[in-house]
PDB file of all heavy atoms in Angstrom:
ATOM      1  N   ALA A   1       1.905 -19.695  -2.992  1.00 98.00           N
ATOM      2  CA  ALA A   1       0.868 -18.747  -3.564  1.00 98.00           C
ATOM      3  C   ALA A   1       1.343 -18.174  -4.882  1.00 98.00           C
ATOM      4  O   ALA A   1       2.639 -18.061  -5.001  1.00 98.00           O
ATOM      5  CB  ALA A   1       0.604 -17.660  -2.571  1.00 98.00           C
ATOM      6  N   ASP A   2       0.436 -17.916  -5.738  1.00 98.00           N
ATOM      7  CA  ASP A   2       0.862 -17.361  -7.050  1.00 98.00           C
ATOM      8  C   ASP A   2       1.679 -16.093  -6.925  1.00 98.00           C
ATOM      9  O   ASP A   2       2.651 -15.858  -7.701  1.00 98.00           O
ATOM     10  CB  ASP A   2      -0.370 -17.033  -7.891  1.00 98.00           C
ATOM     11  CG  ASP A   2      -1.091 -18.334  -8.381  1.00 98.00           C
ATOM     12  OD1 ASP A   2      -0.498 -19.383  -8.386  1.00 98.00           O
ATOM     13  OD2 ASP A   2      -2.242 -18.297  -8.784  1.00 98.00           O
ATOM     14  N   SER A   3       1.455 -15.293  -5.844  1.00 97.00           N
ATOM     15  CA  SER A   3       2.084 -14.026  -5.780  1.00 97.00           C
ATOM     16  C   SER A   3       3.598 -14.172  -5.333  1.00 97.00           C
ATOM     17  O   SER A   3       4.334 -13.146  -5.513  1.00 97.00           O
ATOM     18  CB  SER A   3       1.364 -13.204  -4.653  1.00 97.00           C
ATOM     19  OG  SER A   3       1.296 -13.889  -3.481  1.00 97.00           O
ATOM     20  N   VAL A   4       3.987 -15.276  -4.840  1.00 98.00           N
ATOM     21  CA  VAL A   4       5.431 -15.465  -4.431  1.00 98.00           C
ATOM     22  C   VAL A   4       6.120 -16.576  -5.190  1.00 98.00           C
ATOM     23  O   VAL A   4       7.296 -16.684  -4.992  1.00 98.00           O
ATOM     24  CB  VAL A   4       5.413 -15.756  -2.909  1.00 98.00           C
ATOM     25  CG1 VAL A   4       4.722 -14.736  -2.090  1.00 98.00           C
ATOM     26  CG2 VAL A   4       4.905 -17.161  -2.576  1.00 98.00           C
ATOM     27  N   ARG A   5       5.383 -17.358  -5.944  1.00 97.00           N
ATOM     28  CA  ARG A   5       6.090 -18.478  -6.660  1.00 97.00           C
ATOM     29  C   ARG A   5       7.186 -17.941  -7.599  1.00 97.00           C
ATOM     30  O   ARG A   5       6.978 -16.946  -8.283  1.00 97.00           O
ATOM     31  CB  ARG A   5       5.046 -19.225  -7.541  1.00 97.00           C
ATOM     32  CG  ARG A   5       5.601 -20.479  -8.211  1.00 97.00           C
ATOM     33  CD  ARG A   5       4.516 -21.241  -8.943  1.00 97.00           C
ATOM     34  NE  ARG A   5       3.509 -21.770  -8.075  1.00 97.00           N
ATOM     35  CZ  ARG A   5       2.252 -21.304  -7.944  1.00 97.00           C
ATOM     36  NH1 ARG A   5       1.849 -20.341  -8.762  1.00 97.00           N
ATOM     37  NH2 ARG A   5       1.412 -21.894  -7.121  1.00 97.00           N
ATOM     38  N   GLY A   6       8.413 -18.606  -7.465  1.00 98.00           N
ATOM     39  CA  GLY A   6       9.554 -18.114  -8.207  1.00 98.00           C
ATOM     40  C   GLY A   6      10.423 -17.186  -7.443  1.00 98.00           C
ATOM     41  O   GLY A   6      11.545 -16.975  -7.872  1.00 98.00           O
ATOM     42  N   ARG A   7       9.847 -16.566  -6.398  1.00 98.00           N
ATOM     43  CA  ARG A   7      10.587 -15.654  -5.561  1.00 98.00           C
ATOM     44  C   ARG A   7      10.974 -16.118  -4.170  1.00 98.00           C
ATOM     45  O   ARG A   7      12.010 -15.828  -3.626  1.00 98.00           O
ATOM     46  CB  ARG A   7       9.926 -14.286  -5.489  1.00 98.00           C
ATOM     47  CG  ARG A   7       9.701 -13.586  -6.764  1.00 98.00           C
ATOM     48  CD  ARG A   7       9.136 -12.194  -6.597  1.00 98.00           C
ATOM     49  NE  ARG A   7       7.818 -12.164  -5.889  1.00 98.00           N
ATOM     50  CZ  ARG A   7       7.550 -11.622  -4.649  1.00 98.00           C
ATOM     51  NH1 ARG A   7       8.560 -10.903  -4.127  1.00 98.00           N
ATOM     52  NH2 ARG A   7       6.310 -11.655  -4.195  1.00 98.00           N
ATOM     53  N   PHE A   8       9.965 -16.861  -3.631  1.00 98.00           N
ATOM     54  CA  PHE A   8      10.151 -17.406  -2.249  1.00 98.00           C
ATOM     55  C   PHE A   8      10.375 -18.907  -2.294  1.00 98.00           C
ATOM     56  O   PHE A   8       9.893 -19.637  -3.167  1.00 98.00           O
ATOM     57  CB  PHE A   8       8.867 -17.153  -1.416  1.00 98.00           C
ATOM     58  CG  PHE A   8       8.616 -15.697  -1.076  1.00 98.00           C
ATOM     59  CD1 PHE A   8       9.371 -14.720  -1.625  1.00 98.00           C
ATOM     60  CD2 PHE A   8       7.615 -15.405  -0.213  1.00 98.00           C
ATOM     61  CE1 PHE A   8       9.073 -13.372  -1.320  1.00 98.00           C
ATOM     62  CE2 PHE A   8       7.367 -14.087   0.138  1.00 98.00           C
ATOM     63  CZ  PHE A   8       8.077 -13.070  -0.450  1.00 98.00           C
ATOM     64  N   THR A   9      11.160 -19.426  -1.360  1.00 98.00           N
ATOM     65  CA  THR A   9      11.437 -20.754  -1.157  1.00 98.00           C
ATOM     66  C   THR A   9      11.299 -21.248   0.239  1.00 98.00           C
ATOM     67  O   THR A   9      11.881 -20.668   1.171  1.00 98.00           O
ATOM     68  CB  THR A   9      12.891 -21.162  -1.671  1.00 98.00           C
ATOM     69  OG1 THR A   9      13.047 -20.735  -3.058  1.00 98.00           O
ATOM     70  CG2 THR A   9      13.065 -22.694  -1.566  1.00 98.00           C
ATOM     71  N   VAL A  10      10.451 -22.255   0.519  1.00 98.00           N
ATOM     72  CA  VAL A  10      10.199 -22.766   1.858  1.00 98.00           C
ATOM     73  C   VAL A  10      11.068 -24.023   1.991  1.00 98.00           C
ATOM     74  O   VAL A  10      11.156 -24.888   1.047  1.00 98.00           O
ATOM     75  CB  VAL A  10       8.752 -23.024   2.098  1.00 98.00           C
ATOM     76  CG1 VAL A  10       8.103 -24.040   1.129  1.00 98.00           C
ATOM     77  CG2 VAL A  10       8.546 -23.466   3.573  1.00 98.00           C
ATOM     78  N   SER A  11      11.699 -24.140   3.100  1.00 97.00           N
ATOM     79  CA  SER A  11      12.484 -25.360   3.364  1.00 97.00           C
ATOM     80  C   SER A  11      12.420 -25.706   4.837  1.00 97.00           C
ATOM     81  O   SER A  11      11.895 -24.898   5.714  1.00 97.00           O
ATOM     82  CB  SER A  11      13.984 -25.116   2.972  1.00 97.00           C
ATOM     83  OG  SER A  11      14.557 -24.028   3.653  1.00 97.00           O
ATOM     84  N   ARG A  12      13.042 -26.787   5.294  1.00 94.00           N
ATOM     85  CA  ARG A  12      13.025 -27.088   6.640  1.00 94.00           C
ATOM     86  C   ARG A  12      14.280 -28.005   6.970  1.00 94.00           C
ATOM     87  O   ARG A  12      14.898 -28.654   6.094  1.00 94.00           O
ATOM     88  CB  ARG A  12      11.820 -27.895   7.103  1.00 94.00           C
ATOM     89  CG  ARG A  12      11.675 -29.302   6.498  1.00 94.00           C
ATOM     90  CD  ARG A  12      10.320 -29.861   6.708  1.00 94.00           C
ATOM     91  NE  ARG A  12       9.933 -29.949   8.037  1.00 94.00           N
ATOM     92  CZ  ARG A  12       8.723 -30.126   8.567  1.00 94.00           C
ATOM     93  NH1 ARG A  12       7.722 -30.178   7.705  1.00 94.00           N
ATOM     94  NH2 ARG A  12       8.523 -30.280   9.846  1.00 94.00           N
ATOM     95  N   ASP A  13      14.665 -27.901   8.227  1.00 92.00           N
ATOM     96  CA  ASP A  13      15.803 -28.668   8.745  1.00 92.00           C
ATOM     97  C   ASP A  13      15.301 -29.327  10.016  1.00 92.00           C
ATOM     98  O   ASP A  13      15.188 -28.796  11.071  1.00 92.00           O
ATOM     99  CB  ASP A  13      17.007 -27.740   9.173  1.00 92.00           C
ATOM    100  CG  ASP A  13      18.264 -28.505   9.561  1.00 92.00           C
ATOM    101  OD1 ASP A  13      18.050 -29.739   9.970  1.00 92.00           O
ATOM    102  OD2 ASP A  13      19.316 -27.994   9.560  1.00 92.00           O
ATOM    103  N   ASN A  14      14.766 -30.604   9.841  1.00 86.00           N
ATOM    104  CA  ASN A  14      14.161 -31.330  10.931  1.00 86.00           C
ATOM    105  C   ASN A  14      15.112 -31.612  12.105  1.00 86.00           C
ATOM    106  O   ASN A  14      14.669 -31.817  13.234  1.00 86.00           O
ATOM    107  CB  ASN A  14      13.604 -32.671  10.393  1.00 86.00           C
ATOM    108  CG  ASN A  14      12.380 -32.406   9.553  1.00 86.00           C
ATOM    109  OD1 ASN A  14      11.723 -31.378   9.646  1.00 86.00           O
ATOM    110  ND2 ASN A  14      12.075 -33.436   8.712  1.00 86.00           N
ATOM    111  N   ALA A  15      16.386 -31.734  11.826  1.00 88.00           N
ATOM    112  CA  ALA A  15      17.422 -31.944  12.881  1.00 88.00           C
ATOM    113  C   ALA A  15      17.414 -30.722  13.826  1.00 88.00           C
ATOM    114  O   ALA A  15      17.750 -30.813  15.018  1.00 88.00           O
ATOM    115  CB  ALA A  15      18.819 -32.177  12.271  1.00 88.00           C
ATOM    116  N   LYS A  16      17.115 -29.530  13.321  1.00 91.00           N
ATOM    117  CA  LYS A  16      17.061 -28.321  14.107  1.00 91.00           C
ATOM    118  C   LYS A  16      15.664 -27.927  14.443  1.00 91.00           C
ATOM    119  O   LYS A  16      15.449 -26.871  15.153  1.00 91.00           O
ATOM    120  CB  LYS A  16      17.757 -27.183  13.310  1.00 91.00           C
ATOM    121  CG  LYS A  16      19.230 -27.441  13.086  1.00 91.00           C
ATOM    122  CD  LYS A  16      19.836 -26.155  12.367  1.00 91.00           C
ATOM    123  CE  LYS A  16      21.266 -26.368  12.083  1.00 91.00           C
ATOM    124  NZ  LYS A  16      21.876 -25.209  11.377  1.00 91.00           N
ATOM    125  N   ASP A  17      14.666 -28.678  14.029  1.00 90.00           N
ATOM    126  CA  ASP A  17      13.267 -28.289  14.274  1.00 90.00           C
ATOM    127  C   ASP A  17      12.944 -26.988  13.876  1.00 90.00           C
ATOM    128  O   ASP A  17      12.264 -26.157  14.592  1.00 90.00           O
ATOM    129  CB  ASP A  17      12.914 -28.518  15.741  1.00 90.00           C
ATOM    130  CG  ASP A  17      12.808 -29.895  16.151  1.00 90.00           C
ATOM    131  OD1 ASP A  17      12.529 -30.817  15.305  1.00 90.00           O
ATOM    132  OD2 ASP A  17      12.958 -30.232  17.418  1.00 90.00           O
ATOM    133  N   THR A  18      13.433 -26.597  12.598  1.00 94.00           N
ATOM    134  CA  THR A  18      13.289 -25.230  12.104  1.00 94.00           C
ATOM    135  C   THR A  18      12.774 -25.211  10.725  1.00 94.00           C
ATOM    136  O   THR A  18      13.165 -26.001   9.807  1.00 94.00           O
ATOM    137  CB  THR A  18      14.661 -24.547  12.204  1.00 94.00           C
ATOM    138  OG1 THR A  18      15.105 -24.542  13.539  1.00 94.00           O
ATOM    139  CG2 THR A  18      14.535 -23.101  11.626  1.00 94.00           C
ATOM    140  N   ILE A  19      11.849 -24.302  10.377  1.00 95.00           N
ATOM    141  CA  ILE A  19      11.335 -24.031   9.066  1.00 95.00           C
ATOM    142  C   ILE A  19      11.884 -22.647   8.629  1.00 95.00           C
ATOM    143  O   ILE A  19      11.989 -21.741   9.369  1.00 95.00           O
ATOM    144  CB  ILE A  19       9.774 -23.993   9.119  1.00 95.00           C
ATOM    145  CG1 ILE A  19       9.232 -25.286   9.704  1.00 95.00           C
ATOM    146  CG2 ILE A  19       9.201 -23.792   7.679  1.00 95.00           C
ATOM    147  CD1 ILE A  19       9.566 -26.536   8.942  1.00 95.00           C
ATOM    148  N   TYR A  20      12.159 -22.608   7.275  1.00 97.00           N
ATOM    149  CA  TYR A  20      12.749 -21.398   6.782  1.00 97.00           C
ATOM    150  C   TYR A  20      11.874 -20.908   5.567  1.00 97.00           C
ATOM    151  O   TYR A  20      11.188 -21.634   4.933  1.00 97.00           O
ATOM    152  CB  TYR A  20      14.093 -21.598   6.153  1.00 97.00           C
ATOM    153  CG  TYR A  20      15.093 -22.133   7.193  1.00 97.00           C
ATOM    154  CD1 TYR A  20      15.424 -23.491   7.319  1.00 97.00           C
ATOM    155  CD2 TYR A  20      15.723 -21.238   8.148  1.00 97.00           C
ATOM    156  CE1 TYR A  20      16.294 -23.998   8.234  1.00 97.00           C
ATOM    157  CE2 TYR A  20      16.586 -21.698   9.082  1.00 97.00           C
ATOM    158  CZ  TYR A  20      16.892 -23.104   9.082  1.00 97.00           C
ATOM    159  OH  TYR A  20      17.798 -23.544  10.085  1.00 97.00           O
ATOM    160  N   LEU A  21      11.893 -19.570   5.391  1.00 98.00           N
ATOM    161  CA  LEU A  21      11.275 -19.003   4.225  1.00 98.00           C
ATOM    162  C   LEU A  21      12.300 -18.067   3.598  1.00 98.00           C
ATOM    163  O   LEU A  21      12.563 -16.938   4.150  1.00 98.00           O
ATOM    164  CB  LEU A  21      10.021 -18.184   4.535  1.00 98.00           C
ATOM    165  CG  LEU A  21       9.270 -17.574   3.339  1.00 98.00           C
ATOM    166  CD1 LEU A  21       8.742 -18.749   2.414  1.00 98.00           C
ATOM    167  CD2 LEU A  21       8.145 -16.737   3.800  1.00 98.00           C
ATOM    168  N   GLN A  22      12.998 -18.399   2.475  1.00 98.00           N
ATOM    169  CA  GLN A  22      13.865 -17.559   1.775  1.00 98.00           C
ATOM    170  C   GLN A  22      13.070 -16.648   0.806  1.00 98.00           C
ATOM    171  O   GLN A  22      12.346 -17.163  -0.018  1.00 98.00           O
ATOM    172  CB  GLN A  22      14.888 -18.384   1.029  1.00 98.00           C
ATOM    173  CG  GLN A  22      15.878 -17.556   0.261  1.00 98.00           C
ATOM    174  CD  GLN A  22      16.787 -16.757   1.091  1.00 98.00           C
ATOM    175  OE1 GLN A  22      17.303 -17.280   2.036  1.00 98.00           O
ATOM    176  NE2 GLN A  22      16.956 -15.413   0.705  1.00 98.00           N
ATOM    177  N   MET A  23      13.183 -15.371   0.969  1.00 98.00           N
ATOM    178  CA  MET A  23      12.345 -14.392   0.212  1.00 98.00           C
ATOM    179  C   MET A  23      13.365 -13.557  -0.603  1.00 98.00           C
ATOM    180  O   MET A  23      14.277 -12.863  -0.099  1.00 98.00           O
ATOM    181  CB  MET A  23      11.532 -13.494   1.101  1.00 98.00           C
ATOM    182  CG  MET A  23      10.648 -14.254   2.029  1.00 98.00           C
ATOM    183  SD  MET A  23       9.566 -13.156   3.026  1.00 98.00           S
ATOM    184  CE  MET A  23      10.797 -12.339   4.077  1.00 98.00           C
ATOM    185  N   ASN A  24      13.248 -13.746  -1.911  1.00 98.00           N
ATOM    186  CA  ASN A  24      14.124 -12.963  -2.883  1.00 98.00           C
ATOM    187  C   ASN A  24      13.228 -11.993  -3.630  1.00 98.00           C
ATOM    188  O   ASN A  24      12.044 -12.120  -3.783  1.00 98.00           O
ATOM    189  CB  ASN A  24      14.902 -13.931  -3.819  1.00 98.00           C
ATOM    190  CG  ASN A  24      15.788 -14.863  -3.128  1.00 98.00           C
ATOM    191  OD1 ASN A  24      16.334 -14.479  -2.085  1.00 98.00           O
ATOM    192  ND2 ASN A  24      15.956 -16.050  -3.708  1.00 98.00           N
ATOM    193  N   SER A  25      13.893 -10.988  -4.237  1.00 98.00           N
ATOM    194  CA  SER A  25      13.244 -10.008  -5.091  1.00 98.00           C
ATOM    195  C   SER A  25      12.042  -9.421  -4.397  1.00 98.00           C
ATOM    196  O   SER A  25      10.932  -9.348  -5.001  1.00 98.00           O
ATOM    197  CB  SER A  25      12.826 -10.588  -6.491  1.00 98.00           C
ATOM    198  OG  SER A  25      13.944 -11.107  -7.125  1.00 98.00           O
ATOM    199  N   LEU A  26      12.177  -9.005  -3.171  1.00 98.00           N
ATOM    200  CA  LEU A  26      11.093  -8.549  -2.366  1.00 98.00           C
ATOM    201  C   LEU A  26      10.448  -7.217  -3.005  1.00 98.00           C
ATOM    202  O   LEU A  26      11.177  -6.417  -3.598  1.00 98.00           O
ATOM    203  CB  LEU A  26      11.537  -8.231  -0.967  1.00 98.00           C
ATOM    204  CG  LEU A  26      11.728  -9.472  -0.117  1.00 98.00           C
ATOM    205  CD1 LEU A  26      12.543  -9.145   1.148  1.00 98.00           C
ATOM    206  CD2 LEU A  26      10.301 -10.070   0.323  1.00 98.00           C
ATOM    207  N   LYS A  27       9.139  -7.180  -2.888  1.00 98.00           N
ATOM    208  CA  LYS A  27       8.407  -6.029  -3.372  1.00 98.00           C
ATOM    209  C   LYS A  27       7.636  -5.380  -2.176  1.00 98.00           C
ATOM    210  O   LYS A  27       7.393  -6.002  -1.179  1.00 98.00           O
ATOM    211  CB  LYS A  27       7.349  -6.607  -4.371  1.00 98.00           C
ATOM    212  CG  LYS A  27       7.858  -7.388  -5.564  1.00 98.00           C
ATOM    213  CD  LYS A  27       6.802  -7.957  -6.366  1.00 98.00           C
ATOM    214  CE  LYS A  27       7.363  -8.729  -7.531  1.00 98.00           C
ATOM    215  NZ  LYS A  27       6.225  -9.330  -8.363  1.00 98.00           N
ATOM    216  N   PRO A  28       7.315  -4.125  -2.379  1.00 98.00           N
ATOM    217  CA  PRO A  28       6.534  -3.424  -1.289  1.00 98.00           C
ATOM    218  C   PRO A  28       5.222  -4.159  -0.932  1.00 98.00           C
ATOM    219  O   PRO A  28       4.926  -4.112   0.285  1.00 98.00           O
ATOM    220  CB  PRO A  28       6.253  -2.118  -1.959  1.00 98.00           C
ATOM    221  CG  PRO A  28       7.322  -1.750  -2.849  1.00 98.00           C
ATOM    222  CD  PRO A  28       7.612  -3.176  -3.418  1.00 98.00           C
ATOM    223  N   GLU A  29       4.607  -4.852  -1.828  1.00 97.00           N
ATOM    224  CA  GLU A  29       3.375  -5.544  -1.552  1.00 97.00           C
ATOM    225  C   GLU A  29       3.592  -6.821  -0.714  1.00 97.00           C
ATOM    226  O   GLU A  29       2.721  -7.474  -0.240  1.00 97.00           O
ATOM    227  CB  GLU A  29       2.605  -5.904  -2.811  1.00 97.00           C
ATOM    228  CG  GLU A  29       3.476  -6.626  -3.837  1.00 97.00           C
ATOM    229  CD  GLU A  29       3.986  -5.593  -4.907  1.00 97.00           C
ATOM    230  OE1 GLU A  29       4.381  -4.526  -4.618  1.00 97.00           O
ATOM    231  OE2 GLU A  29       3.908  -5.973  -6.103  1.00 97.00           O
ATOM    232  N   ASP A  30       4.870  -7.130  -0.487  1.00 98.00           N
ATOM    233  CA  ASP A  30       5.234  -8.268   0.417  1.00 98.00           C
ATOM    234  C   ASP A  30       5.194  -7.798   1.885  1.00 98.00           C
ATOM    235  O   ASP A  30       5.386  -8.635   2.736  1.00 98.00           O
ATOM    236  CB  ASP A  30       6.622  -8.834   0.023  1.00 98.00           C
ATOM    237  CG  ASP A  30       6.629  -9.513  -1.288  1.00 98.00           C
ATOM    238  OD1 ASP A  30       5.663 -10.187  -1.677  1.00 98.00           O
ATOM    239  OD2 ASP A  30       7.606  -9.362  -1.987  1.00 98.00           O
ATOM    240  N   THR A  31       5.081  -6.545   2.101  1.00 98.00           N
ATOM    241  CA  THR A  31       5.090  -6.061   3.491  1.00 98.00           C
ATOM    242  C   THR A  31       3.884  -6.573   4.295  1.00 98.00           C
ATOM    243  O   THR A  31       2.706  -6.422   3.868  1.00 98.00           O
ATOM    244  CB  THR A  31       4.951  -4.495   3.472  1.00 98.00           C
ATOM    245  OG1 THR A  31       6.171  -3.911   2.899  1.00 98.00           O
ATOM    246  CG2 THR A  31       4.849  -3.943   4.875  1.00 98.00           C
ATOM    247  N   ALA A  32       4.217  -7.265   5.417  1.00 98.00           N
ATOM    248  CA  ALA A  32       3.177  -7.831   6.199  1.00 98.00           C
ATOM    249  C   ALA A  32       3.835  -8.402   7.471  1.00 98.00           C
ATOM    250  O   ALA A  32       5.103  -8.496   7.597  1.00 98.00           O
ATOM    251  CB  ALA A  32       2.445  -8.963   5.467  1.00 98.00           C
TER     252      ALA A  32
END
């Protein structure tokens, strides 16, 4: 999404069946 591009990174580790969301430079409007 435009609101998170450049700050958030989505990745996955299929060996662990896990998805990640790395969130940097968090803002109050990210609260959810």
Side-chain angles (χ1 to χ4, degrees):
D2 290 341
S3 59
V4 306
R5 186 176 295 109
R7 298 189 298 120
F8 291 8
T9 302
V10 61
S11 62
R12 67 191 301 164
D13 185 342
N14 287 338
K16 297 181 178 180
D17 288 335
T18 301
I19 306 296
Y20 302 98
L21 183 67
Q22 178 66 46
M23 304 183 293
N24 298 329
S25 301
L26 282 163
K27 305 174 181 179
E29 51 263 44
D30 295 319
T31 295

